[in-house]
Amino acid sequence: ILSDTTHTWFEKAIDRYLASPAYGERMAWNWLDAARYADSNGYQGDRERTMWPWRDWVVESFNNNLPWDTFTTWQLAGDLLPNATHEQKLATGFCRNHMINGEGGRIAEENRVDYVMDMTETMGTVWLGATLTCARCHDHKYDPYTRKEYYQLFDFFNQTPVTGGGGDPQTPPILSTPSLDQSRAIDHAEVIIQRTQSEFYQFKDKHIQEMEAWEPIQLSQINALIKTGKEAEKESLKALQLALKTPDQKRTDKQKKTVMDAFVTSVPELAKARDQWIKAKDRLNKIKRSIPKVMVMEEISKRRQTPMLERGLYNQKRDTVLAAVPASLPPLENFQNPPNRLNLAEWLMRRDHPLTARVTVNRFWQQFFGMGLVKTPEDFGVQGEFPKHLELLDWLSAEFMDSGWDVKKLIKIILSSQTYQRSSVATPKLIEADPENRLYARAPRFRLPSWMIRDQALAAAGLLDPSLGGAPVNGYQPDGVWEDATFGNKKYTQDHGKKLFRRSLYTFWRRIIAPTLLFDTASRQTCNVDAKRTNSPLHALATLNDTTFVEAARGLSIQAMSDELQDHEILERIYLLTLARPPSDQERSIWIQSADRARSYFSSDREAIDAWLSHGESDIPAGLNRMQLATWATVSLGILNMDETLTRE
C-alpha cells in the first residue's frame, strides 16, 4: 500500500480486502451473532451439535458475494425452491440454530412452540428490525403489530416435522454434509467394497461345490463338540446342528445363513475374502458416522393448524390463523395458498418493501462505525431511534437494492466515503458539540471486540492459522470451567498444534459457558444484532496473563529479533508488526527503559527466563538468545496491551 503513489491506492486496498478469504470470516461473525449460532444445544444438558458446515457456508457465501436476496431466501426457505440443491437446503440451518431443550419432564409441545417462536422472532429482528416478542401475548404497545399478526407470522415456521421431543442435537430433518476429504474417502471406500465383494463371490463360486460334501462332516464334528465343548459355545453349535439336520429345501433363511457362514469360515481363502469385505463396509460406515449432520428445514405433508396462544402459553389455544404478513407492511403477492416460507422470503426482498434494505444497511454501517445510522438496530419501531441521517440511510438502501443486493459493492461505497476515511483525532470542541459522534465530523474510535483482539495478537505474532472452515476447535482454557458449569458432565479436552491458533470464529462455542477468552460477546442463545463493546476491566487480566497473549508476545518478539539488530531496531519492528507505524521518540525512550528493566531482572534470575518462555506450545527457534527473547516478550506484551493496539481508530 505504501509503495502505491497513484490516486486510486485506497480503492485498490479495499478491493484487496474484499477479495481476501479472511473477508468472509470477518463478515460471518456478526451474522453468527444474529443467527444465534453455537456448537451445543444450551440448557442444562447442552449436548454438542454439528451445525458448523452451515457456519462454513456463511463464510463461503460472503466470500462469493452471494446477493443478499439470495442469501436471505436460501436461509429462510432454500428447501422450498424448485429442485433444491444440497447448498440451498444447508442454508436453512439458519432457522434451526435455536437452542434445544432436553431436560427431563419438559413437555415436547412446549419445546416445539418455543422453537417456532424463536424462528419467528429471529426473522423479525434480522430483516424487519421488529420487536415481535412483545406481540406474543398482546397487541404490540407501540408498533403496528397485533397479536394475531404475530401468530400469522408464526404459522410460516410452524410447518416443520420437528416434534420438540428429547434433546437430540441432530433432530430431523437433518442433512449429511461431508467435507471434500470425506466425500473422497467415501468414494474410495465404495470402490474397495465393490472389489472385495466381487472377490468374495468369485471364491464362493469356486468352492460352493464342496459344500455338499462338507455338511455331513461338519455335522459329525459338531455332535462331538457339543459333548465336549465349552458351555458358552453350545448354543451356537446347537443352532448350526439343527440347521444342518434340516433338509436344504426346508431351511429357513436364518438357517441358510447359519450354514453358509460356517462353510465360509471353514475355507481359508473364502473366509479371508469375506473378512476383507466386512472390513471395507465397516470403514465406509465409520466414515459416514463421522459426517456432520446439520439440522435443516422441511415442510410436513399435512399442514399443522396454528392457534393464537393466550399469554403465549403452548396449551392455551384460541382461534386459529393462517400465514400472513402485517397489515402495516406491503401485502403478499403471487403466493401459495396458504402462503409458505418461500413466499415470506420473497416478500421480504421485494423492491417496495420499506424495511429489509434499511435494517440490513444499518447493521453494515454499525459494523464499520461502531453505531448504526439508527442507534437501535434491533428496533426500527416507535421506541427505536429516528435516523440521524435519514436521507443517507434511504440512499444507501436504494443503492443496495438497485445493485442487485451486492454486499461487496455496498461495503465499498461505505469504505470509499470521506466519512469513513476521516481521522479519529478529536478536539475538545468537537467532543463537546457531538460527544457520540453522530454527525461524523471525526472517525469513530472504539475498542475492538475481544475476538478480534485475540486474532490480531496471533496475526502480529505470525501464529494465526489462515485455513478456512472445519470442525470447531478447543484452544487454551483454564481447567475446570466446563466441568463446573455442567456439574462435571462435560470434560474439556484442549487441542494442540495449529488448532490452537485458528481464528476465534472456529472456537467451540458452548452455549452455557462461552469461550473464556472472549468478553462482552453475544450470548448466542437468542438473536442479537447489537454492537458489543469489550470494556470490562477483567479483560485486561486476560490480555496481560492469558496463555494466548503471553505466547503471542513471544511470537511477536521472535519475528522482530535478530542478532544484528540494536534494541531500537527490534522495537521498531514490533511497532510495525503491531501498529503499522514506528514508535515516536518518547515511546522509544519509554520502551527501551522497559527492556532494560526486564533484561536486568532476567539477568539476576535465570530460572525466570524458562518459566516466562514456557507458556504456550509454539516452538522457539534453536539458538535464539533466550534472555533477549524473554526481555522482548515482556516489552511485546505491553505493546499488545496498549490502548492504540486494542482500539479501532
Side-chain angles (χ1 to χ4, degrees):
I1 294 175
L2 295 176
S3 62
D4 189 345
T5 58
T6 66
H7 70 280
T8 59
W9 70 268
F10 191 72
E11 181 181 354
K12 293 176 184 175
I14 294 172
D15 289 339
R16 283 195 295 272
Y17 161 72
L18 294 175
S20 167
Y23 159 80
E25 294 174 309
R26 190 269 169 269
M27 299 298 291
W29 188 280
N30 298 77
W31 190 251
L32 299 191
D33 281 350
R36 69 269 192 249
Y37 169 84
D39 298 301
S40 68
N41 282 349
Y43 297 103
Q44 184 173 324
D46 207 26
R47 291 174 61 184
E48 294 79 11
R49 54 173 60 177
T50 54
M51 297 297 285
W52 58 264
W54 173 84
R55 175 250 286 152
D56 289 351
W57 174 82
V58 172
V59 174
E60 184 180 357
S61 296
F62 276 113
N63 279 332
N64 292 338
N65 201 26
L66 192 69
W68 195 256
D69 57 343
T70 304
F71 186 70
T72 295
T73 301
W74 288 9
Q75 290 185 88
L76 289 177
D79 59 305
L80 297 178
L81 291 166
N83 303 313
T85 65
H86 181 278
E87 183 183 7
Q88 290 166 338
K89 294 176 182 177
L90 174 62
T92 65
F94 169 88
C95 295
R96 300 291 303 282
N97 274 326
H98 56 75
M99 296 197 295
I100 291 180
N101 194 334
E103 295 179 0
R106 176 77 172 183
I107 298 170
E109 178 64 8
E110 186 175 9
N111 284 338
R112 193 193 68 78
V113 168
D114 281 352
Y115 306 157
V116 179
M117 285 179 169
D118 180 272
M119 295 181 204
T120 306
E121 292 158 16
T122 297
M123 178 279 300
T125 300
V126 170
W127 283 282
L128 299 176
T131 53
L132 292 180
T133 309
C134 300
R136 278 190 190 185
C137 309
H138 51 72
D139 293 350
H140 202 292
K141 296 298 183 183
Y142 303 101
D143 300 331
Y145 303 123
T146 66
R147 176 165 157 263
K148 179 180 180 181
E149 288 171 337
Y150 176 92
Y151 288 100
Q152 287 174 327
L153 290 172
F154 179 101
D155 188 54
F156 283 108
F157 299 94
N158 198 30
Q159 308 308 322
T160 70
V162 175
T163 64
D168 185 1
Q170 294 179 343
T171 301
I174 55 174
L175 185 69
S176 292
T177 309
S179 66
L180 182 60
D181 288 344
Q182 286 173 324
S183 295
R184 289 170 177 167
I186 289 172
D187 292 342
H188 181 63
E190 287 176 341
V191 169
I192 294 176
I193 286 174
Q194 290 176 356
R195 176 174 58 78
T196 54
Q197 180 184 22
S198 176
E199 289 175 354
F200 171 74
Y201 281 113
Q202 286 176 10
F203 286 126
K204 183 180 176 183
D205 291 342
K206 175 182 174 182
H207 292 283
I208 196 67
Q209 301 301 324
E210 304 167 11
M211 191 170 177
E212 186 175 348
W214 168 85
E215 286 193 14
I217 297 173
Q218 184 67 17
L219 181 58
S220 175
Q221 291 175 345
I222 288 174
N223 293 335
L225 285 171
I226 288 174
K227 294 177 181 178
T228 61
K230 296 178 181 178
E231 197 66 34
E233 299 173 350
K234 286 185 178 180
E235 287 302 317
S236 59
L237 289 172
K238 287 180 179 179
L240 178 57
Q241 181 189 52
L242 179 60
L244 288 168
K245 285 181 176 180
T246 304
D248 183 56
Q249 64 273 17
K250 293 184 178 181
R251 289 173 186 168
T252 65
D253 290 342
K254 184 177 181 180
Q255 288 176 326
K256 290 177 181 178
K257 184 178 184 304
T258 299
V259 173
M260 180 57 70
D261 286 346
F263 174 69
V264 169
T265 302
S266 71
V267 182
E269 68 173 354
L270 189 54
K272 182 180 179 181
R274 179 193 59 185
D275 291 345
Q276 288 178 336
W277 182 22
I278 291 172
K279 287 179 181 177
K281 290 191 288 186
D282 288 344
R283 280 195 297 270
L284 178 61
N285 290 333
K286 185 177 180 180
I287 295 169
K288 287 184 174 180
R289 285 195 299 271
S290 71
I291 292 173
K293 296 176 178 60
V294 179
M295 293 182 289
V296 294
M297 295 294 278
E298 186 180 285
E299 297 287 86
I300 52 177
S301 55
K302 184 179 180 181
R303 188 174 181 83
R304 183 183 285 116
Q305 285 196 337
T306 296
M308 296 167 63
L309 302 177
E310 189 71 27
R311 300 190 306 280
L313 299 174
Y314 78 98
N315 58 352
Q316 299 297 313
K317 300 178 181 180
R318 299 298 182 260
D319 296 341
T320 59
V321 297
L322 280 176
V325 298
S328 59
L329 298 172
L332 283 173
E333 293 179 354
N334 303 318
F335 56 87
Q336 300 290 324
N337 190 16
N340 58 24
R341 283 179 285 112
L342 182 57
N343 301 135
L344 176 67
E346 291 169 343
W347 170 77
L348 286 169
M349 306 314 297
R350 269 172 38 191
R351 182 62 176 79
D352 63 344
H353 196 288
L355 281 177
T356 304
R358 288 190 181 101
V359 170
T360 305
V361 164
N362 188 64
R363 283 204 308 274
F364 284 131
W365 185 276
Q366 173 183 268
Q367 185 171 311
F368 293 107
F369 289 90
M371 185 184 297
L373 293 167
V374 176
K375 190 177 180 180
T376 53
E378 79 290 352
D379 188 359
F380 269 51
V382 174
Q383 291 293 96
E385 184 193 52
F386 190 82
K388 294 288 186 184
H389 303 274
L390 178 58
E391 295 83 359
L392 174 59
L393 180 60
D394 284 348
W395 179 77
L396 284 172
S397 300
E399 285 288 310
F400 188 33
M401 291 186 285
D402 291 344
S403 71
W405 300 92
D406 188 326
V407 176
K408 287 189 176 182
K409 184 175 181 180
L410 172 66
I411 291 174
K412 189 170 182 178
I413 290 173
I414 294 173
L415 299 188
S416 300
S417 66
Q418 290 185 10
T419 306
Y420 181 79
Q421 296 179 51
R422 286 188 174 128
S423 169
S424 57
V425 176
T427 64
K429 184 177 179 181
L430 273 179
I431 294 174
E432 182 180 358
D434 185 16
E436 289 190 338
N437 194 31
R438 303 308 303 281
L439 301 178
Y440 302 106
R442 61 189 186 277
R445 189 180 187 280
F446 53 86
R447 188 179 175 94
L448 298 175
S450 56
W451 62 269
M452 193 178 290
I453 290 173
R454 173 187 176 272
D455 292 355
Q456 173 185 252
L458 292 177
L463 294 173
L464 188 67
D465 179 8
S467 57
L468 290 169
V473 297
N474 291 334
Y476 300 119
Q477 180 167 291
D479 293 337
V481 174
W482 278 15
E483 290 79 356
D484 286 349
T486 63
F487 305 100
N489 292 323
K490 301 297 179 183
K491 308 293 184 183
Y492 190 81
T493 303
Q494 180 192 296
D495 283 318
H496 302 282
K498 288 186 176 181
K499 289 183 178 181
L500 293 171
F501 311 115
R502 300 215 62 199
R503 291 181 185 274
S504 301
L505 183 77
Y506 302 114
T507 299
F508 187 97
W509 197 292
R510 184 164 291 289
R511 236 185 261 262
I512 63 172
I513 180 70
T516 56
L517 192 58
L518 305 182
F519 284 71
D520 297 337
T521 57
S523 69
R524 299 282 179 88
Q525 295 184 355
T526 55
C527 172
N528 190 292
V529 294
D530 291 335
K532 296 294 181 182
R533 287 288 167 266
T534 309
N535 291 331
S536 168
L538 290 174
H539 196 215
L541 294 175
T543 55
L544 280 167
N545 296 284
D546 189 88
T547 302
T548 294
F549 288 95
V550 174
E551 184 175 23
R554 186 178 72 218
L556 180 56
S557 303
I558 291 171
Q559 290 215 101
M561 282 176 57
S562 169
D563 291 338
E564 295 79 27
L565 295 178
Q566 301 296 314
D567 281 359
H568 70 276
E569 293 173 308
I570 295 175
L571 177 64
E572 183 163 325
R573 280 191 173 188
I574 294 172
Y575 254 65
L576 290 172
L577 287 167
T578 308
L579 301 174
R581 69 169 179 84
S584 67
D585 291 341
Q586 184 182 15
E587 289 171 324
R588 186 178 291 109
S589 174
I590 292 171
W591 288 116
I592 294 299
Q593 290 179 42
S594 178
D596 290 340
R597 285 195 303 272
R599 191 178 291 115
S600 174
Y601 170 74
F602 288 121
S603 296
S604 63
D605 187 354
R606 309 293 292 193
E607 292 183 359
I609 295 175
D610 291 336
W612 178 232
L613 298 180
S614 66
H615 301 286
E617 297 185 6
S618 58
D619 295 331
I620 298 176
L624 202 63
N625 186 315
R626 292 178 68 83
M627 188 177 75
Q628 275 284 80
L629 178 57
T631 296
W632 285 107
T634 304
V635 173
S636 294
L637 185 60
I639 293 172
L640 287 175
N641 278 272
M642 287 173 58
D643 177 73
E644 183 179 346
T645 309
L646 305 176
T647 304
R648 185 269 187 215
E649 56 183 345

